[in-house]
Amino acid sequence: MTSTTTSIVERYRAASQALTELPTDPGCYAALSDSELLEINRCYAESQVAIRNGGALIAGEIAHRSTPELGSRGLAQRSGHRTPEQFIKITTGSTGRDAVTAVRVGALMREAATDGEVDLATGVVATATQPWLSAVTEALRSRSISVDSAEAIRSGLGTPNSVITHEQLALAAAQLVEAARRLDPDSLAREARAFRDELDVDGAALREEERRAKRSLKLYVQPDGTTKLVWIMDPETAATVRDLYDRTTSPKLGGVRFVDPSRQSLADKILGDPRTPEQIASDGFEQLIRLGADANPDFLLGSGAPVIRLTATKSAFERGTGLARIEGQVAPVSVSTAWRLGCDAGVGGVIFGQNGETLDFGRESRFFSRRQKEALAIRWGGCACPGCDRPPSWTEAHHVVQWKRDGGKTNILDGILLCKHHHLLFHNNGWEIVRDDDARYWLIPPPQLDPAQTPIELLSKSAAMRDLARESSGELIAS
């Protein structure tokens, strides 16, 4: 390392050490006066800006060294991560949103600082792709705005087009940097979007299309076993959904009462319903989805209402006590619930034995069958690579004893699930996976990464298999 880089590393080490020395006893803070508490809050805010701005610079450099063009030679990829955002998320313990923001803002700062310079790794002359944000990058370097404020300005202003020039956006960015001194990032984002609207009054149709392009629907499994649905709607979709939401809940929320007697009766039922407005809305929209899936079977892959797949051990299912699992969900359900759901034609079930035994098709088939992949999904619960969170639906079946090279069999014991990234990484970089006599699976790194080739055990991420392991050890006792 050069003296400059050594100095940076030493300063980060010193800062990290200083932060670890801060008191963690709540009593220390309770003993402070109001003025002292406000002072340390100010210091904390300043340190947060410095830390996150520095984190963005680190993230930007990691992203530069992990570009898709580098393939598996990229820094993040060599470390076993698909993207620099995933690398930042896992190594810093940040949220996915914070990791994406850090990479975006860090890349912006790096581009501005290296504009016109020759990249020593690629030989390409670096070019700032968002020069109208120079006021933002300068404010970040001076730590006068936060990473979140910078992202609010960047995303809110957007990019130049045939109507809005670089110069106009640069002027707006400079004004927003000043506004950032008095506005929080959320308010700043609204201010930035207002600037954009005022600059391009005639671009309403284009912005409408841009908003529509941002529509999305995502599912997030929560730590407590519930699932969060995040639906980003364009204004037109939102108007439709809002109308349905209001019609479902308005009597409960004190909305308009109906004149028609039959409608009034329904309103009174909703008003007297013990569920909260949010629970009524949830149940109502679930029923709308079920009705829609049955009404138009050609709209979805497959047909009919949503399909639910249950898994349970044979002994638990026969005993009637213990745990069952709904595929894709974190929290278990009771076997009695599994029995009830089993009456639904839209529910499929898989029961597995004490040793996890499933189908074995031998060498007659080169590829794993659909049923075998279902069994592998139950056995592994997703990509088997440590630290990877890809679910079974995102994975590929990998032959532990390779089919072509080693004459492996297409059976469950010789199968393992890997996401595409790790499947390619292992095949292309000399990693091996072996199974021992106890049906335990081990990842063997290539000698260039680990001369000792120390085995790393691959553990199932399947909650159903954990149930089986506990039953086998006697931890699950029938009630």
Side-chain angles (χ1 to χ4, degrees):
M1 291 188 292
T2 65
S3 58
T4 302
T5 57
T6 301
S7 176
I8 294 173
V9 172
E10 289 175 348
R11 276 183 275 178
Y12 266 88
R13 284 174 178 164
S16 177
Q17 179 61 36
L19 289 172
T20 62
E21 295 173 359
L22 292 176
T24 58
D25 179 10
C28 295
Y29 297 88
L32 296 172
S33 66
D34 286 353
S35 60
E36 290 171 330
L37 187 60
L38 292 175
E39 174 61 15
I40 65 170
N41 184 66
R42 184 190 64 78
C43 294
Y44 170 76
E46 290 179 353
S47 65
Q48 274 287 91
V49 171
I51 289 170
R52 291 205 63 195
N53 286 18
L57 287 167
I58 296 168
E61 186 60 35
I62 290 173
H64 177 70
R65 302 185 189 189
S66 309
T67 57
E69 293 80 9
L70 293 173
S72 60
R73 295 183 292 113
L75 178 58
Q77 292 84 345
R78 293 201 315 271
S79 302
H81 304 284
R82 292 181 303 278
T83 64
E85 290 83 1
Q86 187 200 38
F87 179 90
I88 296 298
K89 175 183 174 181
I90 291 177
T91 56
T92 64
S94 58
T95 65
R97 178 181 177 181
D98 285 344
V100 169
T101 297
V103 169
R104 284 178 178 169
V105 174
L108 176 68
M109 296 173 73
R110 192 185 191 286
E111 285 182 354
T114 60
D115 187 25
E117 297 180 3
V118 177
D119 190 311
L120 298 179
T122 63
V124 176
V125 177
T127 304
T129 59
Q130 303 173 80
W132 56 90
L133 295 176
S134 59
V136 175
T137 56
E138 286 299 320
L140 283 165
R141 293 182 66 180
S142 65
R143 297 174 184 162
S144 58
I145 66 170
S146 68
V147 166
D148 288 328
S149 293
E151 176 60 12
I153 296 173
R154 185 202 67 80
S155 61
L157 283 183
T159 59
N161 59 21
S162 58
V163 177
I164 302 177
T165 65
H166 287 208
E167 291 74 18
Q168 287 175 307
L169 287 183
L171 179 60
Q175 294 175 357
L176 287 166
V177 166
E178 290 300 315
R181 302 179 188 277
R182 56 181 174 80
L183 296 176
D184 61 83
D186 291 336
S187 300
L188 192 63
R190 288 192 291 269
E191 191 86 359
R193 286 193 292 271
F195 262 98
R196 179 75 190 203
D197 289 338
E198 293 168 7
L199 288 172
D200 188 10
V201 175
D202 295 330
L206 176 62
R207 291 194 296 278
E208 182 181 1
E209 183 57 35
E210 289 174 345
R211 291 187 180 103
R212 178 165 173 75
K214 292 179 180 178
R215 67 191 187 283
S216 66
L217 189 69
K218 296 181 180 179
L219 287 170
Y220 298 94
V221 178
Q222 304 293 94
D224 64 355
T226 59
T227 297
K228 179 192 293 184
L229 179 72
V230 177
W231 192 356
I232 306 298
M233 293 174 273
D234 60 277
E236 184 177 338
T237 302
T240 301
V241 172
R242 182 58 186 263
D243 179 65
L244 292 172
Y245 182 89
D246 288 344
R247 285 160 58 187
T248 304
T249 62
S250 62
K252 192 77 171 180
L253 297 174
V256 177
R257 293 294 182 265
F258 303 102
V259 177
D260 183 274
S262 63
R263 298 290 89 191
Q264 181 66 58
S265 175
L266 176 60
D268 290 341
K269 286 182 179 179
I270 297 175
L271 186 61
D273 196 305
R275 294 172 295 174
T276 65
E278 292 79 9
Q279 290 170 335
I280 292 173
S282 175
D283 295 344
F285 274 79
E286 179 198 8
Q287 188 62 25
L288 286 173
I289 291 170
R290 286 180 178 273
L291 291 171
D294 271 335
N296 186 3
D298 294 330
F299 180 71
L300 300 170
L301 185 63
S303 61
V307 175
I308 298 172
R309 183 173 291 109
L310 287 163
T311 59
T313 65
K314 181 180 179 181
S315 59
F317 201 80
E318 291 177 344
R319 190 173 63 240
T321 59
L323 301 176
R325 301 282 173 174
I326 299 176
E327 184 179 286
Q329 300 301 308
V330 174
V333 297
S334 65
V335 171
S336 60
T337 295
W339 284 351
R340 176 175 58 81
L341 291 174
C343 297
D344 190 334
V347 176
V350 178
I351 300 175
F352 50 99
Q354 195 66 21
N355 297 317
E357 64 270 16
T358 50
L359 303 174
D360 185 343
F361 286 89
R363 284 185 54 83
E364 283 74 21
S365 175
R366 162 67 176 89
F367 298 106
F368 287 92
S369 69
R370 179 181 62 82
R371 292 292 293 168
Q372 283 180 305
K373 288 181 179 178
E374 288 180 359
L376 286 173
I378 296 166
R379 188 179 188 91
W380 288 102
C383 177
C385 186
C388 185
D389 59 0
R390 285 301 191 231
S393 58
W394 287 49
T395 60
E396 301 170 348
H398 170 75
H399 290 81
V400 172
V401 181
Q402 292 190 29
W403 168 272
K404 185 174 182 180
R405 189 189 68 183
D406 303 322
K409 293 183 177 182
T410 303
N411 59 42
I412 300 303
L413 283 178
D414 282 335
I416 195 170
L417 292 185
L418 297 172
C419 68
K420 185 174 182 180
H421 166 75
H422 287 113
H423 204 172
L424 290 172
L425 182 72
F426 294 158
H427 271 292
N428 296 341
N429 291 274
W431 293 76
E432 295 285 346
I433 299 175
V434 298
R435 172 172 57 86
D436 63 22
D437 295 337
D438 296 322
R440 297 167 69 188
Y441 298 77
W442 304 86
L443 181 63
I444 311 298
Q448 60 267 30
L449 285 181
D450 179 8
Q453 293 191 282
T454 307
I456 304 167
E457 186 171 7
L458 298 178
L459 301 175
S460 172
K461 298 167 186 175
S462 167
M465 294 304 290
R466 291 198 298 272
D467 294 342
L468 176 63
R470 287 198 300 274
E471 283 206 353
S472 299
S473 64
E475 292 181 27
L476 286 180
I477 308 298
S479 58

